[in-house]
Amino acid sequence: MQTAGKKWWQERVVYQIYPRSFQDSPAPDGGPGDGIGDIPGIISRLDDIKALGAGIIWLSPVYLSPDADNGYDIADYRSIDPRYGTLADMDRLIAEAEKRDIKIIMDLVINHTSDEHEWFQKSRDRDGGYRDYYIWKPPKGRGARGSKGDLPNNWMSFFMEDAWTFDEKSGEYYLHLFHKKQPDLNYRNPKVIEEVKAILRFWLDRGIAGFRCDVINVLYKSSFADGRKGPLPGIEFYLCQEGNHEILRELRRDVLDKYDCFTVGETVMVDVEKAKLLCDESRKELDMLFYFEHLQVDRLIERYIPKKFRPGKLLKVLSKWQRGLEWNAVYLENHDQCRIVSHYGDGGGAYWEASAKLLAVLELTMRGTPFIYQGQEIGMTNFDFKGFGEVNDVETLNWNRLLKRFHIPARLRWKWLKESSRDNARTPVQWSAEPNAGFTTGKPWLGINGNYTKINYASQRGDDNSVLAFYKKMIGLRAENDVLKYGEFRPLGARGSVIAWQRVLGDEAWTVLLNFSPRAARAGSLLPTCGSVVVSNTSRTAITETLLPYEAVVLKSITQ
Ligand code: ISL
């Protein structure tokens, strides 16, 4: 069932900021910046975000963090990391955004904390009162410390390492589903849930309008037995457990429902059925969620091992989710994914611009709240890195080690990982053709793509035909037409490289036709019998049977 909602978070478009790569501000003494984006930098760009048409900002973590996983390892949920600014800067950001009618949601990372969080440090002491904030298990004693025989069970982390690390001080292992510096919290302990509630209130009271909830469907571990053999043994004991649903309902009931806010959950390994249990309105858990399936139609294993891209498969997956959920979080990029124009478009080729615009049409004609990732609106491409020496991301480096263990040759490993590394999305935003792309006056923390002199914000801002101008147009069109926001999604099908769908509301039907190919293609039976062109990434004013390379067109017709 697709319900018409009209809540503010359904009306607006979200813009995701990955702070460290967004905009660095000069040092307080006017000297060079530190090469890491910061909150004053974000404030200086609020007018640009407004001009894009976004009405919500999702801010990736800015909390105090030792940075083992770029801020997703939080050492204090109530303070801002000095690299990003101060709590006063954060308050100023909230106020300045509000002046422009932009709401801010923050990243809520509560499956784990940093090992440098005070709770974890106290938890290492068996009698310190915090022991059961985390998950501690004794060694099995069958082998050396850290060997398989000694670990409490056979679980693996999402970063492809053993999920247990031994702590000398307390003589036991702790669980971490991610990096070893990201110990998992123990959600069987009611005190942990109360702590989380207090954190939510802390930020909501400061004017935050909701949360993007990191890996939110693996919080509750129902058993610590050995898991079934497979890529992630043990997942059957922590994926979408009933205890997890209960926690989400409790947070909603006791805190979130008392504020005008929303949540979007990041979920791992969900299918539509599992997702519905997490975000159907009547369940009172999450308001919407992110899944990955539509970004993996050309991936054999996870995001890393590729296979051929088939547009028809993409449409199938999109349709399943569009029709399956009441409301979708629609996204094509984030800080964990490669750049979409290099993925499903023609990133490095002659059709870079056409394909970037085609992808804008795809995203903004889906039903749901669109999330645009920084740089997507100017068609930023994958990193042009030359070798592992330029890679920062812990997940990419771990996968490289894993693939090496399976004797995958170095050339192939690099080929795969360079296309899929999370660093592809993390290179600094290309603001201008100035040195360091106008991102910093210092040395950027991660390499800047060499194409910044061609692809940058400043050059697109004044150009009515730019990718940026096209995004603005699409966002404006969505704002003005309920059919794009709330219309029913009806897939029309695929014909080779062409895919098509309709959005239908009242007597209006909008037909979307996309050609995912550097060659012209015939739309054939996908063409509607009538309709006027409302969107085109070429200068088309009337439809013909043949679509140009990477052509996108939207036709509007009135049904009788
Ligand atoms: O993107 C992924 C799967 O396609 C994984 O790489 C990712 O780690 C997983 O989706 C969880 O992501 C989130 O939690 C991680 C953090 O590293 C990611 O940046 C964050 O988005 C641990 O907090």
Side-chain angles (χ1 to χ4, degrees), residues 69 72 112 212 214-215 266 292 303 335-336 395 422:
D69 187 21
Y72 282 87
H112 43 265
R212 174 268 187 188
D214 193 63
V215 293
E266 184 216 28
F292 302 118
R303 286 205 322 280
H335 62 289
D336 291 334
E395 190 187 68
R422 304 195 298 180

Side-chain angles (χ1 to χ4, degrees), residues 119 122-123 125-133 189 191:
W119 301 336
K122 288 186 173 159
S123 175
D125 176 353
R126 287 186 187 227
D127 309 312
Y130 282 80
R131 186 68 174 168
D132 54 358
Y133 269 47
N189 179 358
K191 278 194 224 152

Side-chain angles (χ1 to χ4, degrees), residues 392-505:
N392 167 278
D393 175 30
V394 43
E395 190 187 68
T396 313
L397 298 171
N398 284 354
W399 267 88
N400 183 38
R401 269 197 296 274
L402 181 83
L403 295 173
K404 199 169 168 185
R405 275 216 301 277
F406 284 96
H407 306 291
I408 307 288
R411 199 186 42 81
L412 202 54
R413 271 186 276 136
W414 177 240
K415 187 171 174 249
W416 290 345
L417 294 175
K418 115 172 152 7
E419 292 304 321
S420 54
S421 170
R422 304 195 298 180
D423 282 343
N424 283 310
R426 298 178 180 187
T427 61
V429 172
Q430 297 165 201
W431 290 109
S432 71
E434 305 281 301
N436 292 324
F439 162 69
T440 181
T441 48
K443 185 177 173 327
W445 74 276
L446 186 68
I448 291 181
N449 196 312
N451 64 18
Y452 75 90
T453 49
K454 180 181 152 226
I455 302 176
N456 65 65
Y457 184 83
S459 67
Q460 292 191 24
R461 184 165 36 192
D463 175 1
D464 287 348
N465 289 318
S466 64
V467 174
L468 176 66
F470 195 82
Y471 263 95
K472 287 182 182 169
K473 196 160 81 189
M474 287 305 303
I475 292 172
L477 202 67
R478 180 185 184 273
E480 285 156 19
N481 292 279
D482 273 0
V483 61
L484 287 185
K485 285 180 275 187
Y486 303 112
E488 187 194 338
F489 178 93
R490 289 187 193 159
L492 294 180
R495 197 176 181 279
S497 59
V498 180
I499 60 175
W501 61 86
Q502 273 187 334
R503 300 293 306 283
V504 180
L505 189 70

Side-chain angles (χ1 to χ4, degrees), residues 41-283:
I42 298 173
I43 296 173
S44 73
R45 290 288 176 186
L46 284 174
D47 288 334
D48 296 314
I49 296 170
K50 183 74 190 168
L52 177 65
I56 303 171
I57 290 172
W58 153 23
L59 199 58
S60 278
V62 286
Y63 315 95
L64 187 72
S65 165
D67 244 5
D69 187 21
N70 289 2
Y72 282 87
D73 46 321
I74 298 172
D76 182 354
Y77 290 88
R78 291 180 178 80
S79 56
I80 301 293
D81 195 286
R83 279 166 299 192
Y84 297 129
T86 60
L87 207 48
D89 289 328
M90 188 64 205
D91 288 339
R92 198 156 60 85
L93 172 61
I94 298 169
E96 287 296 323
E98 198 182 328
K99 276 189 205 159
R100 294 163 176 84
D101 190 27
I102 297 174
K103 309 218 184 222
I104 298 185
I105 65 168
M106 288 180 89
D107 226 300
L108 183 74
V109 188
I110 54 167
N111 175 66
H112 43 265
T113 68
S114 161
D115 64 339
E116 297 181 33
H117 194 291
E118 191 191 351
W119 301 336
F120 187 75
Q121 287 308 318
K122 288 186 173 159
S123 175
R124 297 175 66 201
D125 176 353
R126 287 186 187 227
D127 309 312
Y130 282 80
R131 186 68 174 168
D132 54 358
Y133 269 47
Y134 295 86
I135 299 162
W136 294 97
K137 297 284 169 208
K140 275 201 176 146
R142 285 187 243 121
R145 288 283 171 261
S147 69
K148 299 279 182 203
D150 198 45
L151 301 179
N153 64 29
N154 67 349
W155 297 9
M156 293 288 289
S157 83
F158 283 92
F159 289 164
M160 296 297 139
E161 294 169 309
D162 291 323
W164 298 94
T165 291
F166 188 73
D167 177 53
E168 290 293 340
K169 185 172 173 195
S170 60
E172 290 194 328
Y173 285 95
Y174 63 88
L175 177 73
H176 53 90
L177 291 184
F178 291 86
H179 193 269
K180 64 172 188 263
K181 283 183 70 61
Q182 294 170 300
D184 281 44
L185 284 163
N186 173 19
Y187 278 92
R188 294 178 180 205
N189 179 358
K191 278 194 224 152
V192 169
I193 303 174
E194 291 309 314
E195 297 274 12
V196 171
K197 288 182 195 167
I199 293 165
L200 294 177
R201 288 190 196 102
F202 177 86
W203 288 109
L204 290 164
D205 288 339
R206 291 193 109 83
I208 285 300
F211 299 93
R212 174 268 187 188
C213 310
D214 193 63
V215 293
I216 201 64
N217 60 329
V218 299
L219 303 183
Y220 190 87
K221 284 82 184 172
S222 57
S223 157
F224 294 97
D226 275 340
R228 272 194 298 274
K229 291 217 162 44
L232 281 171
I235 191 158
E236 64 272 36
F237 300 127
Y238 58 76
L239 190 73
C240 299
Q241 303 296 294
E242 189 45 40
N244 202 123
H245 290 295
E246 279 165 23
I247 295 163
L248 292 178
R249 285 197 288 269
E250 183 174 337
L251 296 180
R252 176 90 179 244
R253 186 192 64 221
D254 291 358
V255 184
L256 297 162
D257 272 350
K258 305 200 186 313
Y259 295 82
D260 183 18
C261 68
F262 80 100
T263 53
V264 48
E266 184 216 28
T267 55
V268 290
M269 307 208 172
V270 290
D271 53 22
V272 173
E273 287 319 305
K274 286 195 176 74
K276 284 174 72 58
L277 294 177
L278 288 160
C279 72
D280 268 0
E281 202 176 342
S282 61
R283 302 263 310 166

